[in-house]
Amino acid sequence: MKILMTGGTGLIGRALCKALRAEGHQLTVLSRQAALVPEMCGKTVQAMASLDEWHSTQHFDAVINLAGAPIVDAVWTPARKQILRDSRIALTEKLLQRIADAAHKPAVLLSGSAVGYYGNRPDVELDEQSEAGADFAAHLCADWENAAVPASALGVRVCLLRTGLVLSDQGGLLGRMLLPFKFALGARLGAGRQGMSWVHIDDYVAMVLRLLHDEQLSGAFNMTAPHPVSNAEFTGQLAHAVGRPAIFVAPGRLLKWAMGERAVLLLEGQRALPVRMLAAGFKFTYPELPDALGAVLGK
Ligand SMILES: NC(=O)c1ccc[n+]([C@@H]2O[C@H](COP(=O)([O-])OP(=O)(O)OC[C@H]3O[C@@H](n4cnc5c(N)ncnc54)[C@H](OP(=O)(O)O)[C@@H]3O)[C@@H](O)[C@H]2O)c1
């Protein structure tokens, strides 16, 4: 297949590029750092510096849309919120325009979202039918999804990837958490009741490949492992995995003071279940957190 990917240089994108190259697909990655694409995504991967380079006669069989400015890294000022939205929603809208213009439309669009779609839901288990939340992150996800959905009216199969916390040995949130945990400075966040819907990168990639190839599947999918945990459980399991205690608590008030509104990403959460992937018969290699952490940490 000829595949166009946005966000191909990212944590998830790089793992996906590797798996897609192994399947023999021809990849093009849209990137603001086009010159680095062969190094980051593979020598045979083509770079596209702007969607304006996608001419109407150029043909892609599939589009995978993951680009988005990092959500935890910077304070959510109005300007930062605009960057978070534009890098996802405006880019997806532009992608849809290119798809509409293409003489040969892709058969499938796999487009990003996150479990933040559901807002703060500590005590309930969520499936893909569950209601959207109302905070900034929830609106960001819902608007990102809504920008992709109109592709279905163009005859494109659309899958929305409601991504949980991806566990990888290549960085991401787990990569940042590891150092303090290794120095026995790991801490539960606030009350620790908030849900953490995690997923091992290998299972995530396998789910994306399934959605790419299975013509029966469309709509929203919780891209998470079947056993989400609370933040207190995650803290305990990670401490156990690195063989160090985690006796501290990062008080919610302190996190809110230090991080502002984006502290919701740490202090609030959800327990999203991959109900639709399980119904499709998908088998997880790492359904339980201890095995996933062990695999990521090479234990
Ligand atoms: N990793 C997770 O645990 C997780 C969880 C939930 C949702 N997600 C979502 O899934 C997507 C991929 O995640 P990831 O962890 O692979 O992200 P990542 O490592 O931060 O990579 C994000 C990608 O987005 C592009 N990007 C960054 N800032 C941009 C901007 N201002 N404008 C346009 N493009 C920009 C970058 O591409 P270039 O620099 O090449 O242009 C990069 O490849 C993201 O949208 C993320 O929000 C991830």
Side-chain angles (χ1 to χ4, degrees):
M1 279 190 203
K2 289 184 177 169
I3 301 174
L4 173 65
M5 196 188 304
T6 78
T9 59
L11 176 79
I12 298 173
R14 292 194 308 274
L16 261 177
C17 282
K18 192 173 172 197
L20 292 166
R21 282 191 289 116
E23 285 195 346
H25 303 293
Q26 252 177 278
L27 300 182
T28 302
V29 165
L30 175 77
S31 173
R32 297 161 307 155
Q33 14 177 17
L36 296 180
V37 164
E39 187 188 317
M40 297 179 86
C41 306
K43 274 189 211 139
T44 57
V45 178
Q46 302 270 331
M48 185 187 268
S50 155
L51 280 175
D52 296 335
E53 291 175 23
W54 181 356
H55 297 296
S56 58
T57 51
Q58 193 173 4
H59 167 204
F60 292 108
D61 302 296
V63 176
I64 303 176
N65 177 34
L66 295 172
I71 192 159
V72 197
D73 290 25
V75 176
W76 287 356
T77 59
R80 183 65 190 169
K81 283 183 172 178
Q82 199 56 49
I83 290 171
L84 294 173
R85 289 181 62 81
D86 286 350
S87 60
R88 292 175 174 79
I89 299 154
L91 189 139
T92 303
E93 285 167 353
K94 196 159 183 192
L95 200 52
L96 265 276
Q97 195 53 56
R98 289 289 167 270
I99 292 174
D101 292 345
H104 291 274
K105 310 224 181 300
V108 59
L109 167 64
L110 309 183
S111 197
S113 181
V115 291
Y117 172 89
Y118 301 109
N120 181 33
R121 309 284 284 280
D123 297 321
V124 278
E125 294 193 327
L126 304 162
D127 65 19
E128 290 86 351
Q129 301 294 322
S130 301
E131 245 177 80
D135 59 18
F136 170 74
H139 283 299
L140 178 69
C141 293
D143 292 347
W144 194 8
E145 293 188 7
N146 289 335
V149 166
S152 56
L154 300 168
V156 178
R157 180 168 63 88
V158 178
C159 297
L160 304 165
L161 314 175
R162 291 187 184 153
T163 302
L165 168 63
V166 176
L167 304 182
S168 155
D169 62 2
Q170 299 296 307
L173 195 59
L174 181 65
R176 289 177 194 196
M177 291 167 80
L178 269 178
L179 192 64
F181 272 79
K182 282 180 178 165
F183 283 99
L185 294 171
R188 194 189 80 200
L189 304 175
R193 269 181 54 228
Q194 65 276 37
M196 291 183 73
S197 302
W198 59 274
V199 61
H200 189 284
I201 185 80
D202 291 355
D203 280 329
Y204 189 92
V205 167
M207 284 193 276
V208 172
L209 294 181
R210 174 70 189 275
L211 293 174
L212 182 68
H213 295 301
D214 189 335
E215 293 173 9
Q216 305 305 313
L217 299 179
S218 63
F221 292 85
N222 288 340
M223 303 290 279
T224 60
H227 299 289
V229 294
S230 67
N231 173 262
E233 288 169 303
F234 192 93
T235 303
Q237 295 285 357
L238 182 53
H240 182 74
V242 299
R244 307 287 281 161
I247 51 170
F248 297 107
V249 175
R253 251 192 276 174
L254 180 70
L255 288 170
K256 281 182 197 157
W257 174 79
M259 298 179 68
E261 187 183 352
R262 88 202 135 113
V264 296
L265 297 173
L266 303 182
L267 294 171
E268 300 185 351
Q270 43 299 110
R271 292 171 174 269
L273 302 182
V275 172
R276 296 198 62 217
M277 285 308 307
L278 290 170
F282 182 83
K283 299 270 183 284
F284 285 84
T285 305
Y286 303 104
E288 304 281 353
L289 183 60
D291 294 338
L293 287 174
V296 170
L297 300 174
K299 307 239 163 167

